[in-house]
Every structure is written in structure tokens, then in C-alpha cells.
Amino acid sequence: MTDRTDTRTGWLSPDEIADARERLPIVYVNAVPVRITATGEVTHIGLLLRAAPDGTISRAVVSGRILYGERVRDALLRHLEKDLGSVALPRLPLEPQPFTIAEYFPDGSVTGFHDPRQHAISLAFVVACDGDCAPSQDALDLAWVTPEEAVSPGVRAEMAGGHDRLVRLALGHVGQLP
Amino acid sequence: MTDRTDTRTGWLSPDEIADARERLPIVYVNAVPVRITATGEVTHIGLLLRAAPDGTISRAVVSGRILYGERVRDALLRHLEKDLGSVALPRLPLEPQPFTIAEYFPDGSVTGFHDPRQHAISLAFVVACDGDCAPSQDALDLAWVTPEEAVSPGVRAEMAGGHDRLVRLALGHVGQLP
Amino acid sequence: MTDRTDTRTGWLSPDEIADARERLPIVYVNAVPVRITATGEVTHIGLLLRAAPDGTISRAVVSGRILYGERVRDALLRHLEKDLGSVALPRLPLEPQPFTIAEYFPDGSVTGFHDPRQHAISLAFVVACDGDCAPSQDALDLAWVTPEEAVSPGVRAEMAGGHDRLVRLALGHVGQLP
Amino acid sequence: MTDRTDTRTGWLSPDEIADARERLPIVYVNAVPVRITATGEVTHIGLLLRAAPDGTISRAVVSGRILYGERVRDALLRHLEKDLGSVALPRLPLEPQPFTIAEYFPDGSVTGFHDPRQHAISLAFVVACDGDCAPSQDALDLAWVTPEEAVSPGVRAEMAGGHDRLVRLALGHVGQLP
């Protein structure tokens, strides 16, 4: 999962984040971007291609921290815009409840969701995007894959930290798990 | 809840519907039309004004039967169009699960949902409408009310059959129940 | 999916059911029985072994019709008892909303859920059973499988009509889809 | 919402918690304890009577922090046991998704959920308790109220910080909102 250093008063410096990460669960959002039909059926899932600090490359869904004082909806929108650009036209869900809670631990064997840096509790949402999505910031590419492709061994192997499973949970939630 | 006689082969005549209604639970959809903000928060609920066969007038949400061979999504879209017009631009939910199941019985004391004609099992959804909504067919009027207005004693008293409660359940689902 | 002829006044004879099935969607419940840990995590899924009228044998979850005048909860309990025996101690969900709606069509290509006899709309629930479960009535056997086994190609191939997919959707809902 | 100072290595001292609270959203769980019928319908809601540090007394649902390294389920169980005693026999939900996310802010006007000390993001669950529940620790009393009583003006006025609304959202989720 990715963060940006934020300079607004009251938010954390990189050192302070590093410290907090060893002491508290950090709240995240995950957003699975999707393309839908006129009747709301999911046809494609958007996967970002990212380079991790250690040089490895993997496919991932949108993710990021919720900041102090920030609404969950605003964090979702901010991270979608950060990763998909400003004309993605994301349609946030009407309801506040996520489709799942992904619990990322430094020890990946606890839940299957793995984050070497921290204990992160992530509220995960499926978000339909109607507009033009372009990978921005640290994303190298954005690929739209069908549900069948998303659960194929090849694509699954390209995702890390449990994002492949998160994608399957998202597909199950919208009734499109093959 | 309302029906239209449909003449497609294999569907039921009014007499046959009357007969089936005494023998089988009939499957319905309920749709609560809403207006939302750019971040997906519900600000208003659309209530139709209807005249019942007995001359009484009441406020209600969109409702109607699912036909033989019809997908739930298609039934939702058909009834939304029937009641709100063809340019309402309804945004169907991505997920197949309704926010609640309303069980209407001829005896209103069983569940609080009441339909004198039948045992109806209704899949209820909240549907954001971005376009122009105009009451059509047998609806006399369409009013957009805030969540506060929707739960006020005055507006509650204008709804029949448990639709006032369905509206509160919808507001709860989207986190906007006052 | 299975039915029993019911002789209570107002319910349907086999002929009448056959007739209604050609004209109306029929409402069903599906229940995926599960074993859980002390903290509510699903560890096993119960699959029934059934012989279909045509002699084929397959694994399936609990399913059956909702009768006229019957509450959804009562139908769930009745079918769980019918298939798992009277001491299964099923724990019905607190909330009325199913985890998914499975739409079964005579043409299996519409949704992937297939019922050659009818258009059935099924409310699907995950139900924890604490007691002794024994296959009863027309079930030949009951097997408890782990989530990993439930999604394995071998077990998937033993299920028909889309029940293998329903099981995966159930596992996704409870966060245990491998 | 309540915390306990925890002395396990890696967890926070009261001073450190105070510091983190000014910088990061803190993750909480809320649990609404309920009594249910044999078919899973909610009949009563459990409300704790608490004295706040400033001496005011109010009714509240179970709540508390999720600790570093702690699973959401384990946090739920720990706080239920802390507030209701060790023989409450809570039945945790099978699914990881909360029925709502309550966002508590020092400024209560942002969402209606108010916590003067911090920005807390709370995962809220309804939990059936079959056993004997006794108020423990800092709770003065535990009262079981019906859904009608829970939404009455008198009981609503006894709750603070938005817990009255959380109770209504919980009742809506289980279909028992009057």
C-alpha cells in the first residue's frame, strides 16, 4: 500500500509515521475500480501496475491511508484520483459499509493479507469509474481485465500482499465471481 | 404495489394473476430513488404520490413484479422507468443483494409490511437517479424530501403498507438515518 | 432444487406447481451450512449428496421453496431441518438481507445458475450449524469440506446448477474464499 | 468510547496514545449486543450505563480500540467480555464487513458521531449474546430494551456521541427498526 507525505499541520512526518506504524493499526481504504454495463453489472476490473521500493513489480488495486480529520469518502476519492487521474469519474458507493475488511499484517500468515511495514486495517470498496482512467503518480500502467482473467492463475500471480484475494472477494460481492 | 397486465406469451392474464396470488408468494422489487452528492452521500429521497384503486392517496417508493424470465436488474430498470420516466438515469447497485427483504402479507401484523391482495416478497434497493425524474403512468406527483423530512411524522403518515418503514431502512443502509 | 408436495389448504398440488412454474418466477431459499470457530470464522462448509430425478448424483447446498404465507426465516429453518435433521441447531442470520440473490433459469447461460424446471429467484444465506447434522430425506450423504476443498476442481465438478459458484460467493461473503 | 492502558511491549502508554490521537485516526470496534428468538429475530438491545470522566452518565453500546497486532474479531470479543462479563456467550458475525462505519470526530457536526478526544473510525457490528450478561468494569448497569424503547425519545436522550443513531442503524440492519 502507498502513502504520500502530507504537509498539512497536524499530520505526520515520515519519521512519525514510521513510529506510529510500530504501535497502532493504521486505517486504510482499498478501492477496486470497475467498468459496468447500463444495468450495473461489472464487466472489468482495473489493476494498477506498480513498482515497489524493493524494485519488484506487481498488479494492485487502489489503496492508501485515511488521514487525521478525513472522511472515509474523501479518502477514497483522493486515492482514486491520485491513482486513476482526475477524470476517472469514480462513483462512490452510497452505503458506508465496505464489502470486506482486509487486515494486513507484517506476518502474512495471520490473514493472508500482508504488509511488511505495518498492521493496516483496510476498508475495501468496489467503485465504478465511468471516465477516462490513466495511471498517475507511481503507477506504471492500468489494465482492465475481465472477471475470468482476474481470477486466472497468471493474473493472480502478478498480485502481491493478498490483492488477488481482495479482487476475488470484490467479484463475489458483485456476483461476478466466475 | 402496482402491476401492469402484460400480454407477452407465457405471462399471466389478470385472472391468472389473481389466482396465483392466492397460492404462491409473488416476487417484487422495491426501489428507493435518491439524489446524491459528488461523494455518494444521499441528500434526498424520491416519493411518488399514488391513488389506490379504493381512491385513497398515499406516498410510496417504486415497486412492481418481477416477470417470468426477467432478470432482477431488468425488472428494477423497467419499474424505475415506468414510474420516473425514461430520462431518470437510474444507477443500479453493482451488487445483487438487496439492502433488505420486505415481506408483505395480507395480514399487516405479521411483519409490518402490508399488501391486502397477496403475499409478496420484495427485494429492496436504493437507486441513485442523476437525470430528470417525472412521475409517469399512475403516479400523480414525485417529491424529493430530505432524510429529516422522510422520517418526520407528517411524511410517515402519508405512506401506507410499510413504505414509511422501508424508507427508514433505506436511510439506515446508506448511513443517513437521522 | 427440491420441493415437497404440501397438502395444506391453499397450497399447490404438483400439477398446479408445474403450471405456475411456466408462468411466474418461484421464490426459493438457499442455505450454505457452515461450521465455525469460537470467534465466528468459517472453517467448513456442508455439502449434501443428492440423487436427481434423472439418476445423476451431485453435491448441493440446502434449498427449497418459500410457501404461501410463510416467512423467509421459517422457510430457511424448515428446509435446514428437512435436509440436516432436527438437531442441527442452525443459527439463522440476524439480518433479513441474503448474501446474494441467485437467479436460476431453464437456460443456464443467462446467469450461470441453472434449473431446468423453472425460473427460480433464490435468497441465499450462510447458516452456522452447531449441532449434529445428518442427511435426511432424499439426501444420501453430508460432507463437511474446508474452504480450500470447496473451491478445488474436484469438488466443484461434483456440484450442478451453479451451486459450486454459490459456495464460492458464500465463502467470499464470510471472507474465507481462498 | 473507552480504552484500557495496555502494558504489552509495543503497545502505547497513555501519553503516547494522547499524542497519536492528535495525529492519526484511531480504529475502534462498536458492538451492539442483542437478544434474539430461535429464528434469529432481534427482540432486545443491550445498553450499558456509563459514567464519563466528566461525571456525566449515559447509555452506550460496547466500544473500544483495536490494538496493534490484534484481529478485528479478537478485539470485538475482548471488548464484549470486558463490558458484559465472561459468560455473555457472544456470537460474533460470520462476515468481516461491519453493518456500518461510524466516523467519530472531535467536531460532532461533521458526521453526527462525536468523540471529544479523537478522530475514531469504528467498525460496528450487531452481536447476539445467549449467556448471562453482567455489566463489568466501568459500566454501572446493563439494560435490555425493545426496539420500540430503543428509538423512544426518552432512551435516545440518554445516549451521547451518536450512540442513539448507531442503535437505530443497527436496528435497521436487522430489519427491526420500528
Side-chain angles (χ1 to χ4, degrees):
Chain A
M1 295 199 263
T2 57
D3 288 307
R4 287 184 303 169
T5 304
D6 213 300
T7 55
R8 274 199 241 165
T9 312
W11 290 346
L12 299 182
S13 72
D15 272 7
E16 289 168 318
I17 289 181
D19 189 49
R21 278 179 168 147
E22 292 171 12
R23 306 301 195 83
L24 279 178
I26 307 294
V27 204
Y28 270 71
V29 286
N30 276 147
V32 180
V34 297
R35 296 291 198 192
I36 59 173
T37 67
T39 58
E41 280 198 304
V42 169
T43 59
H44 293 84
I45 281 192
L47 295 176
L48 296 160
L49 193 67
R50 289 185 180 291
D54 65 359
T56 57
I57 286 179
S58 64
R59 299 244 167 239
V61 301
V62 172
S63 77
R65 271 207 305 134
I66 303 179
L67 300 176
Y68 181 83
E70 190 178 37
R71 296 288 307 272
V72 175
R73 291 184 178 282
D74 294 326
L76 260 177
L77 209 54
R78 179 170 61 85
H79 289 292
L80 283 159
E81 199 160 291
K82 177 197 71 187
D83 282 343
L84 304 180
S86 60
V87 290
L89 305 181
R91 285 264 163 184
L92 298 194
L94 309 188
E95 61 274 4
Q97 57 271 35
F99 73 86
T100 204
I101 301 289
E103 304 175 69
Y104 296 84
F105 286 98
D107 173 356
S109 70
V110 180
T111 63
F113 293 107
H114 179 231
D115 188 329
R117 300 165 308 162
Q118 61 192 338
H119 173 197
I121 297 178
S122 182
L123 317 181
F125 298 89
V126 179
V127 181
C129 294
D130 297 339
D132 290 327
C133 298
S136 52
Q137 298 232 1
D138 40 88
L140 306 173
D141 181 36
L142 170 69
W144 294 99
V145 301
T146 64
E148 286 72 25
E149 291 166 344
V151 304
S152 68
V155 173
R156 283 168 67 156
E158 290 174 8
M159 288 184 264
H163 276 213
D164 60 316
R165 188 148 72 97
L166 195 66
V167 164
R168 291 196 294 283
L169 296 179
L171 284 170
H173 176 67
V174 299
Q176 296 297 327
L177 187 73
Chain B
M1 293 197 263
T2 59
D3 287 308
R4 287 182 305 166
T5 305
D6 213 303
T7 55
R8 273 199 242 167
T9 312
W11 289 348
L12 299 182
S13 73
D15 271 8
E16 290 170 318
I17 288 182
D19 190 49
R21 277 179 169 148
E22 292 171 12
R23 306 302 196 81
L24 280 177
I26 307 294
V27 204
Y28 270 71
V29 286
N30 277 146
V32 180
V34 298
R35 297 291 199 193
I36 59 172
T37 67
T39 57
E41 279 198 306
V42 169
T43 59
H44 293 84
I45 281 193
L47 295 176
L48 297 160
L49 193 67
R50 290 183 179 291
D54 65 359
T56 56
I57 286 178
S58 65
R59 298 245 166 238
V61 302
V62 172
S63 77
R65 272 208 303 135
I66 302 179
L67 299 176
Y68 181 84
E70 190 177 38
R71 297 287 309 271
V72 175
R73 290 184 179 283
D74 294 326
L76 260 179
L77 209 52
R78 179 170 60 84
H79 289 292
L80 283 159
E81 201 160 291
K82 178 196 73 188
D83 283 344
L84 303 180
S86 59
V87 290
L89 304 182
R91 287 264 162 184
L92 298 194
L94 308 188
E95 61 274 6
Q97 57 273 36
F99 73 86
T100 203
I101 301 289
E103 303 176 69
Y104 295 84
F105 287 99
D107 174 355
S109 70
V110 180
T111 62
F113 292 106
H114 180 231
D115 189 329
R117 300 164 309 160
Q118 63 191 337
H119 173 197
I121 297 178
S122 182
L123 317 182
F125 298 89
V126 179
V127 181
C129 294
D130 297 339
D132 288 328
C133 298
S136 52
Q137 299 231 1
D138 39 272
L140 306 173
D141 182 35
L142 170 68
W144 293 99
V145 301
T146 64
E148 286 72 24
E149 291 166 345
V151 303
S152 69
V155 173
R156 283 168 66 156
E158 290 174 7
M159 288 184 264
H163 276 213
D164 60 316
R165 188 148 72 97
L166 196 66
V167 164
R168 291 196 293 284
L169 295 179
L171 285 170
H173 177 66
V174 298
Q176 295 298 326
L177 186 73
Chain C
M1 292 198 265
T2 58
D3 288 308
R4 287 183 304 167
T5 305
D6 213 300
T7 55
R8 273 199 242 166
T9 313
W11 289 346
L12 299 182
S13 72
D15 272 7
E16 291 168 317
I17 287 181
D19 190 50
R21 277 180 169 147
E22 293 171 11
R23 307 300 197 82
L24 279 178
I26 307 294
V27 205
Y28 270 71
V29 287
N30 276 147
V32 181
V34 298
R35 297 290 198 195
I36 59 173
T37 66
T39 57
E41 279 198 305
V42 170
T43 59
H44 292 84
I45 281 193
L47 295 176
L48 296 160
L49 193 67
R50 288 185 179 291
D54 65 359
T56 56
I57 286 179
S58 64
R59 298 245 166 238
V61 302
V62 172
S63 78
R65 270 204 309 134
I66 303 179
L67 299 176
Y68 181 83
E70 190 178 38
R71 297 287 309 271
V72 175
R73 290 185 178 282
D74 294 326
L76 261 178
L77 210 52
R78 179 170 60 84
H79 289 292
L80 283 159
E81 201 161 291
K82 176 196 74 188
D83 284 343
L84 303 181
S86 60
V87 291
L89 304 182
R91 285 265 162 184
L92 298 194
L94 309 188
E95 61 274 6
Q97 57 272 34
F99 73 86
T100 203
I101 301 289
E103 303 175 69
Y104 295 85
F105 287 99
D107 173 356
S109 70
V110 181
T111 62
F113 292 107
H114 179 232
D115 188 330
R117 302 164 307 159
Q118 62 191 339
H119 173 198
I121 297 177
S122 182
L123 317 182
F125 298 89
V126 178
V127 181
C129 294
D130 297 339
D132 289 328
C133 298
S136 51
Q137 299 232 0
D138 39 272
L140 307 173
D141 181 35
L142 170 69
W144 294 98
V145 301
T146 65
E148 287 71 24
E149 292 166 345
V151 303
S152 69
V155 173
R156 283 168 68 155
E158 290 174 6
M159 288 184 264
H163 276 213
D164 60 318
R165 189 149 71 96
L166 195 66
V167 164
R168 291 197 292 285
L169 296 179
L171 285 170
H173 177 67
V174 298
Q176 295 298 326
L177 186 73
Chain D
M1 293 199 263
T2 57
D3 288 306
R4 288 183 302 167
T5 304
D6 214 301
T7 53
R8 273 198 242 166
T9 311
W11 289 346
L12 299 183
S13 72
D15 271 7
E16 290 168 316
I17 288 182
D19 190 48
R21 278 180 169 146
E22 292 170 13
R23 307 302 196 81
L24 279 178
I26 307 294
V27 206
Y28 270 71
V29 286
N30 276 147
V32 180
V34 297
R35 295 291 198 192
I36 59 173
T37 67
T39 58
E41 279 197 305
V42 169
T43 59
H44 293 84
I45 281 193
L47 295 176
L48 296 160
L49 192 67
R50 288 186 180 291
D54 65 359
T56 57
I57 286 179
S58 65
R59 298 245 166 238
V61 302
V62 171
S63 77
R65 271 208 305 137
I66 303 178
L67 299 176
Y68 181 83
E70 190 179 37
R71 297 287 309 270
V72 175
R73 291 184 178 282
D74 294 327
L76 260 178
L77 209 54
R78 179 170 59 85
H79 288 292
L80 282 159
E81 200 161 292
K82 176 197 72 186
D83 283 343
L84 304 180
S86 60
V87 289
L89 305 182
R91 285 264 164 184
L92 297 194
L94 309 188
E95 61 274 5
Q97 57 271 34
F99 73 87
T100 203
I101 300 289
E103 303 175 70
Y104 295 84
F105 286 99
D107 174 356
S109 70
V110 180
T111 62
F113 293 106
H114 179 231
D115 188 330
R117 301 165 306 161
Q118 62 191 339
H119 173 198
I121 297 178
S122 181
L123 317 182
F125 298 89
V126 178
V127 181
C129 294
D130 296 339
D132 289 328
C133 298
S136 51
Q137 299 229 2
D138 40 271
L140 307 173
D141 181 35
L142 170 69
W144 294 99
V145 301
T146 65
E148 287 71 24
E149 291 166 345
V151 303
S152 68
V155 173
R156 282 167 69 155
E158 290 174 7
M159 288 183 264
H163 276 213
D164 60 317
R165 189 148 73 95
L166 195 67
V167 164
R168 291 196 293 285
L169 295 179
L171 285 171
H173 177 67
V174 298
Q176 297 297 327
L177 186 72

